[in-house]
Amino acid sequence: MNLKQAKELVRSRLSDKRYEHTINVKKMAVKLAKHYGADEEQAALAALLHDAAKEIGKDEMRAIMQAHPEYAEGGEARPTPVWHGVCASILARDEAVLSAIACHSAGKPGMTQLDKILYLADMTSAERDWPGVEKLRKLELKDLNAAMLAALKQTNDFVLSQGKPLDPMSKAAYEDILAHSAQNGENA
């Protein structure tokens, strides 16, 4: 799938508000990819497709995951707010960006540079205005791993404060990045 096809797909599937968010995520992902020397086209494609399944119903998402268990990564057993990422990756069917799309809302251990770029771009896109977003926008341009740790902590703390179940992948992603940062002597 190329960028034009991806843009047409999401334009046809998303509300105006969600489409605007998607375009903002694409802009931030390309900016981060350029900053870190990652593939800008892959970052743009992953960003365009990351919420392709955001506005479909749970029954349809469940059906998509059941039809493609090889890509679903146990998605049905995970909290429903992360299902859209799993389903979007199945719909995208682009090997280069599947991982980034699938883990953009929860993270996972062993995240690639592109995975981290999309995760952060989704959290810091232009329309986001939660407390601390400006600080994260600055940090993500200085240290990708430190930004990921801050972002995952923010997300995990928010989910727990709402009394919702924490996706085990989010906790595992945080611990994995923390361990790798400590091994590499980075400030965590």
Side-chain angles (χ1 to χ4, degrees):
M1 181 176 297
N2 65 34
L3 290 173
K4 184 178 182 209
Q5 293 167 322
K7 201 170 188 178
E8 289 169 2
L9 173 74
V10 298
R11 180 65 269 184
S12 70
R13 288 181 147 287
L14 300 177
S15 65
D16 290 345
K17 182 178 178 182
R18 180 62 50 189
Y19 183 72
E20 179 185 354
H21 163 71
T22 296
I23 297 304
N24 287 336
V25 172
K26 175 186 167 264
K27 290 174 185 174
M28 182 57 78
V30 169
K31 179 179 179 177
L32 290 171
K34 190 178 292 192
H35 184 79
Y36 287 103
D39 187 312
E40 293 172 41
E41 189 162 324
Q42 281 186 349
L45 187 59
L48 283 172
L49 296 171
H50 85 282
D51 274 351
K54 183 77 173 185
E55 296 178 338
I56 63 176
K58 289 179 187 172
D59 289 339
E60 187 178 348
M61 283 193 263
R62 187 176 287 111
I64 290 168
M65 289 186 284
Q66 289 172 347
H68 301 281
E70 68 278 18
Y71 300 115
E73 301 174 349
E76 277 189 270
R78 296 172 64 193
T80 55
V82 302
W83 286 12
H84 76 277
V86 174
C87 291
S89 71
I90 292 168
L91 294 172
R93 295 282 179 84
D94 186 300
E95 295 298 325
V97 300
L98 282 175
S99 175
I101 296 169
C103 73
H104 85 269
S105 58
K108 68 177 184 179
M111 290 176 76
T112 67
Q113 185 181 46
L114 182 59
D115 295 344
K116 294 172 185 177
I117 285 170
L118 182 58
Y119 186 96
L120 289 166
D122 188 34
M123 279 194 77
T124 63
S125 62
E127 81 287 354
R128 301 290 198 197
D129 65 355
W130 49 269
V133 71
E134 286 301 327
K135 186 176 178 183
L136 186 58
R137 286 181 180 131
K138 290 176 183 169
L139 184 58
E140 71 189 355
L141 291 171
K142 292 180 183 168
D143 185 329
L144 199 61
N145 285 328
M148 278 302 302
L149 288 171
L152 285 163
K153 182 173 182 349
Q154 162 75 24
T155 300
N156 293 349
D157 289 350
F158 176 76
V159 168
L160 293 172
S161 77
Q162 299 293 306
K164 295 180 181 171
L166 183 63
D167 187 325
M169 288 293 214
S170 291
K171 183 176 187 229
Y174 182 86
E175 291 170 352
D176 181 63
I177 295 169
L178 187 62
H180 282 90
S181 296
Q183 286 174 357
N184 296 330
E186 297 173 15
N187 293 335

